[in-house]
Amino acid sequence: MKEKFVPTYEGELRKHALEVPRCISECSGIRVFGRRIKSLVFSTDVAIIKNINADAVIAVYNFTPQPSITQAIISVSDVPVFAGVGGGYTNGQRSVNMAAAAEQLGAFGVVCNAMITNDAIRDIKAMVEIPLIFTVVSEHVDLEKRLAAGVDIVNVSGAARTPEIVAEIRAKYPELPIIATGGPTDETILAAIRAGANAITYTPPTSKDLFAKDMQEYRNWYEANRSQVDEMLNENLKTERHSLSVFTCVTGKGRRRTSCWPRRRPFPRRW
């Protein structure tokens, strides 16, 4: 079958935005409220979230969940957000309240970690309509009871063993929606997809890593063009000095006085 031509527009300023690995497009995706989601960026960095082409955001972090953080991420994101609501130290009624707040703020789903109780899962599902995603870290978890309690989607996060865990879950539950961590390379991503993952979470480079790369490029560029850059800056400084306007002001005693002001000041001060 001939590959379809896809016209692309990037612009000059936004063409440096991050992209998820293209091999993620090979998975089936999971349709949530009419939106087909194949890639989820794992980040709470609003600059990264705003400048990446992932289909959705999975916003979990290692602090107690807070509505203000969920609100900030949802307000910045152009795509659906799946918000963490705890399950470890944050559990029980607090997780239920967080899930209700996340739904009201516009989250597409809530994410619980591996330690959440079945009672908390039932209470969350009794409170919200959005899907509940349960994080699986081992193939030995009693997934049957979790699903019976109300889990809608599983998120497999098993590090290097993720494909094996996904394969075992898929063998038992052929139609269960599965999200899986993709790992650092196209090979690890494809391994998770072939094992049965419907969607992939992608961990982008940090702002620190991106800045380190950019700053090194700036240093190299400056060293290669130092004389021209210094000459340009000196010329701009001379131009700025000549842009001062001279105003002649009259004091209350009738004496004339001359003063210089930058053009950005609309009127001279009164003497």
Side-chain angles (χ1 to χ4, degrees):
M1 182 177 178
K2 186 178 179 181
E3 185 176 350
K4 292 182 180 179
F5 168 71
V6 181
T8 302
Y9 177 83
E10 294 178 330
E12 185 62 30
L13 299 178
R14 293 180 175 86
K15 68 180 181 181
H16 302 294
L18 298 174
E19 294 186 357
V20 300
R22 293 192 177 186
C23 62
I24 292 178
S25 64
E26 295 193 17
C27 66
S28 66
I30 300 171
R31 203 176 298 278
V32 180
F33 299 126
R35 299 283 292 266
R36 189 179 183 183
I37 296 170
K38 293 187 176 185
S39 59
L40 300 94
V41 58
F42 171 47
S43 179
T44 53
D45 186 323
V46 293
I48 296 289
I49 289 169
K50 191 67 175 179
N51 290 279
I52 192 168
N53 67 338
D55 299 325
V57 177
I58 184 164
V60 295
Y61 44 93
N62 56 335
F63 305 103
T64 186
Q66 299 171 58
S68 57
I69 296 176
T70 301
Q71 181 181 29
I73 294 171
I74 291 174
S75 67
V76 168
S77 177
D78 297 323
V79 296
V81 174
F82 295 87
V85 296
Y89 291 110
T90 303
N91 212 317
Q93 188 59 43
R94 185 175 178 88
S95 289
V96 176
N97 294 341
M98 276 300 308
E103 182 180 43
Q104 291 168 7
L105 290 169
F108 256 57
V110 292
V111 185
C112 303
N113 69 30
M115 298 171 63
I116 194 165
T117 64
N118 291 330
D119 288 340
I121 292 173
R122 278 189 284 269
D123 291 342
I124 289 173
K125 287 304 297 179
M127 177 67 68
V128 302
E129 183 189 23
I130 55 179
L132 187 151
I133 302 172
F134 172 68
T135 302
V136 176
V137 296
S138 169
E139 66 273 28
H140 301 299
V141 66
D142 191 349
L143 194 54
E144 188 67 35
K145 291 183 179 179
R146 303 293 194 177
L147 295 173
V151 166
D152 301 296
I153 303 171
V154 296
N155 172 39
V156 180
S157 181
R161 298 195 65 257
T162 294
E164 288 82 357
I165 299 173
V166 170
E168 186 160 338
I169 294 174
R170 178 58 70 210
K172 294 179 181 178
Y173 307 98
E175 297 183 356
L176 176 66
I178 299 177
I179 302 171
T181 53
T185 67
D186 287 0
E187 289 72 21
T188 57
I189 291 171
L190 291 172
I193 294 173
R194 289 163 185 158
N198 303 109
I200 297 293
T201 60
Y202 170 69
T203 303
T206 65
S207 294
K208 173 186 173 183
D209 296 333
L210 295 172
F211 254 124
K213 179 182 177 182
D214 289 343
M215 291 306 295
Q216 189 56 51
E217 290 181 359
Y218 296 156
R219 295 184 193 103
N220 295 340
W221 174 83
Y222 178 77
E223 290 300 326
N225 303 276
R226 183 169 55 185
S227 58
Q228 296 95 316
V229 174
D230 291 342
E231 182 179 350
M232 179 185 66
L233 293 176
N234 290 333
E235 187 64 30
N236 289 342
L237 182 59
K238 292 178 183 178
T239 303
E240 184 177 344
R241 287 174 178 171
H242 285 299
S243 68
L244 296 176
S245 298
V246 178
F247 296 91
T248 301
C249 304
V250 179
T251 67
K253 297 181 180 180
R255 291 193 298 271
R256 299 179 68 82
R257 189 170 181 178
T258 301
S259 179
C260 291
W261 305 97
R263 287 190 182 277
R264 64 176 176 272
R265 184 184 295 280
F267 301 104
R269 291 176 180 153
R270 295 185 178 276
W271 296 89

